[in-house]
Amino acid sequence: MTEGSPAPAIEISSMSKWFGPFQVLDDIDLKVMPGERIVVCGPSGSGKSTMIRCINGLEPFQKGRIAVHGQELIQKARTLDAVRKNVGMVFQQFNLFPHLTVLDNCTLAQRWVHKVPRAAAEKIAMAQLEKVRIPEQSRKYPSQLSGGQQQRVAIARSLCLRPKVMLFDEPTSSLDPEMVREVLDTMADLARDGMTIICVTHEMGFARGIADRIVFMDQGKVVEEAPPAEFFDKPREARTRKFLDQVVR
Amino acid sequence: MTVLLGYLHEILQGLTTTLSLFLISLVIGFVAATIVAAFQIRFPGVLAGAVWSLMFCIRGVPLLLILYVVYYGFPLLPFIRETALWTVFASPYWCAIICLAFVEMAFTSEIIRGAYYQTPKEQVEAARSLGLSSFQTFRVAILPAMLRNGFPPYTTEVILLCKSTALAFTITVMDIMGYANEIRARTLDIYQPLLIAGAIYICTVVVTRLILSSLFNMIAVGGAETADQK
Ligand SMILES: Nc1ncnc2c1ncn2[C@@H]1O[C@H](COP(=O)(O)OP(=O)(O)OP(=O)(O)O)[C@@H](O)[C@H]1O
Ligand SMILES: [Mg+2]
């Protein structure tokens, strides 16, 4: 991050969220600059998913503000659509549309939302599928692919919309171990291309390798935020140390 | 043998009636069910609860009872006897169709509602995060999931409806069952006409099933069935 750099890609300030009486997120502050790679980790139930789901408006929040490339998130259809144009999201369960081919999964939003003609949309889709290294699967249905392939299609589907920010919520957690690698490699490619990334993951090797900063959450709070070297080798907080003892063997 | 063929020939006179009872009430029932279910989904609250309770009661009452109320009871009501409605309710055939459609609406609306609420919310979120509008989300995420989830129970329901049409003969409609019963009463042959009628119903059900499943394969769900075949 350079000094005096332009506006942040994502700015979360004093954001809090409740599910009924239960406070899931407690006064979250997070600033992500364009091109930065953030890994979010923390124990189960600490609010990681909820936080990144707030960033593209899948969850409403009650206090504070979130801005994505200067566009503030308000629960209004118009602004949500504007924000979602800039933000791609990849889920743990892939969530491809099972009745559409890989290619149609990738062209659908281009054609329906961005009104790209079919031929152009397919060209963009094929380029992205090539990037995630599965152009040869484009005519298949999601159920005919392995989990790792499906997740890479989901990444390509998001990339087709040319997002400025990519959100990942445990993208490898439901994959068999031998498929984790291929998805992480795809994400590393993205990082190398300069994409702004926020990724919830427990893949600590990946975090160490590509993250600019690691954000550790516990009980709805950001407990610690540090570059990987510092985070893994000299964590400041006791709770971070305890967590690291559990996940890093 | 010739006797049997004679029976078959006679009973088949009722086929058009059975099929038209079945198809007309199926279509009316489905359209009404869609409206009822959409209303309950779109406007949840007291009114939707009232509609649900009404549907629950309709499902809880025997079809035969509803038929009798409409066929024997409605003519006693002045506002039916003395208005244009009488042209409909004077005909046992249309009474049967209305009752069948009415009950079909109550069962099908619940299937539609169930299918809607079974839609995985992840599918909806994926569509939303791609920036699709709520109508587009309905089209690509909800409707296909509803078809996947709703088709099996709907197939069962349609087949039940097909067989329920036989009750129409109790209010003098001459369908398959009506002709079979007439032969039974006239000739005192019991098994032959009833077995022939049974065979005709089975054929109808088999054809219905085939049509429905090819319909399903056509409109839906490329991925879903290929998954099953694997
Ligand atoms: N829709 C909801 N309604 C009520 N509570 C919820 C809802 N979604 C999540 N929660 C609660 O909010 C808390 C945070 O959930 P969240 O899914 O953000 O955690 P997480 O950090 O992603 O955990 P995990 O690592 O298990 O995915 C949990 O205690 C969870 O039970
Ligand atoms: Mg989570």
Side-chain angles (χ1 to χ4, degrees), chain A residues 19 22 24 43-50 170:
Chain A
F19 280 121
F22 171 65
V24 225
S44 182
S46 55
K48 309 178 296 289
S49 300
T50 310
E170 307 204 29

Side-chain angles (χ1 to χ4, degrees), chain A residues 154-169:
Chain A
I155 294 173
R157 177 175 73 172
S158 278
L159 292 177
C160 285
L161 304 176
R162 309 209 179 291
K164 295 183 178 145
V165 177
M166 285 289 288
L167 307 175
F168 293 87
D169 189 359

